[in-house]
Amino acid sequence: MGVAVVDQEWPKARRAVLADAAGVGVAVGALGLSFGALAVVSGFSVWQACALSLLMFSGASQFAVIGVLAAGGGAFTGAATATLLGVRNALYGLNLSSLLRVRGLRRLFGAQLVIDESSAMALVRDDPRQARLAFWATGTSVFVFWNVATLVGAFGAQVLPDPEALGLDVAAPAAFLALLMPRLRDRRLWAVAVAAAATALLTVPVLPAGLPVLAAGLVAVVVALRGRRGRPGTGPARSGPGPGPARSGPGPARPDAGPARPDAGPARPDAGPARPDDSPTDDGPTGADRPEKPGTAPVPATGGDGDR
């Protein structure tokens, strides 16, 4: 009779994942308030702002769209900027496809939930069951809180007499910095960020609205690719002299280890003479001649040791 195996740790792990997912949803929802208000201030209607959050559902891309259009850029430039920022979600999807294994309508809904937060919550977990729950719970939580916050923020901006007095025009740059700073973990990433920022600052006075962002993005890609080629020192390390000495180094070490064996060898002869010492004094040569007849070696002809 089969006995059902119950994972006693699963309820506790499930509650922890759901609590984390709800916390992430609330935190991201606060940024959705800012987006809804900023979208209305930038000239979008309440329903246009809500449509962006519902259909695009990518905070960085949404802020890019309203920023480009508010600055006077065209729809194509805004869409290109948003697409460039959303490429990372496609890379997340490649990593998550083998984990989620969804088909049909669930695959379509799952693709909509592939964002920074849901991907991070899923990929940091070793247990596949917890990882799948973290993805769906975090994605759904952020989706709900983000869209509700967008609606509230958009209506709130309409009610306020002068929303621009609240400094909402700096909300988008502040949101970008909040997303960017945690990712700058090494010098290479800092170099990419500095090069992109410098390009944007230099091209703003000479290019139409929206194009500086694209130029900065292209420069960032070029700098990142060049840094990646130079960073892994595999090429120079393989051809350089480093590995050569490392291989030849053990050679001298072996000869040095060789003399250690002779040192151990004399220890065996030292033990050998101990056997003749047990026998009478001058029987050693006779015993040495007797190896031709192994059977006679243990029995001395004349005993000097009465104990034997």
Side-chain angles (χ1 to χ4, degrees), residues 22-305:
V24 171
V26 172
V28 176
L31 189 58
L33 289 171
S34 176
F35 169 76
L38 186 61
V40 171
V41 171
S42 301
F44 287 78
S45 66
V46 173
W47 306 117
Q48 287 174 333
C50 291
L52 275 176
S53 290
L54 186 65
L55 300 176
M56 184 176 290
F57 188 49
S58 178
S61 298
Q62 291 178 228
F63 277 110
V65 168
I66 63 174
V68 169
L69 296 181
F76 176 78
T77 304
T81 305
T83 303
L84 185 64
L85 292 171
V87 169
R88 70 188 190 283
N89 292 339
L91 301 179
Y92 295 157
L94 293 176
N95 289 332
L96 292 170
S97 60
S98 60
L99 172 67
L100 300 177
R101 298 177 182 176
V102 289
R103 297 289 184 272
L105 292 178
R106 284 193 68 194
R107 187 180 184 90
L108 182 63
F109 182 61
Q112 184 71 354
L113 298 182
V114 176
I115 54 176
D116 295 333
E117 292 79 10
S118 61
S119 301
M121 288 282 287
L123 295 176
V124 297
R125 284 171 168 77
D126 297 327
D127 183 64
R129 190 180 182 186
Q130 295 184 25
R132 284 190 289 269
L133 176 63
F135 172 81
W136 291 109
T138 305
T140 303
S141 175
V142 174
F143 185 82
V144 171
F145 280 105
W146 178 265
N147 282 276
V148 171
T150 299
L151 179 63
V152 174
F155 272 119
Q158 281 191 332
V159 173
L160 295 174
D162 187 11
E164 293 184 358
L166 299 177
L168 295 178
D169 54 334
V170 300
F176 275 117
L177 288 177
L179 294 172
L180 178 64
M181 291 303 294
R183 291 169 172 79
L184 300 179
R185 299 186 182 94
D186 54 35
R187 293 181 180 179
R188 184 178 66 89
L189 296 178
W190 273 102
V192 173
V194 170
T199 302
L201 291 175
L202 293 174
T203 55
V204 164
V206 297
L207 293 179
L211 292 182
V213 177
L214 293 178
L218 293 176
V219 170
V221 171
V222 172
V223 174
L225 292 177
R226 289 178 63 86
R228 180 170 294 180
R229 288 177 184 175
R231 186 181 64 164
T234 53
R238 288 178 196 146
S239 60
R247 291 195 199 105
S248 61
R254 281 181 229 149
D256 297 340
R261 290 184 205 143
D263 295 340
R268 283 187 291 236
D270 295 341
R275 290 189 212 126
D277 292 341
D278 296 337
S279 61
T281 56
D282 294 330
D283 287 342
T286 307
D289 296 335
R290 289 180 189 173
E292 297 178 1
K293 297 179 181 180
T296 60
V299 183
T302 58
D305 189 348

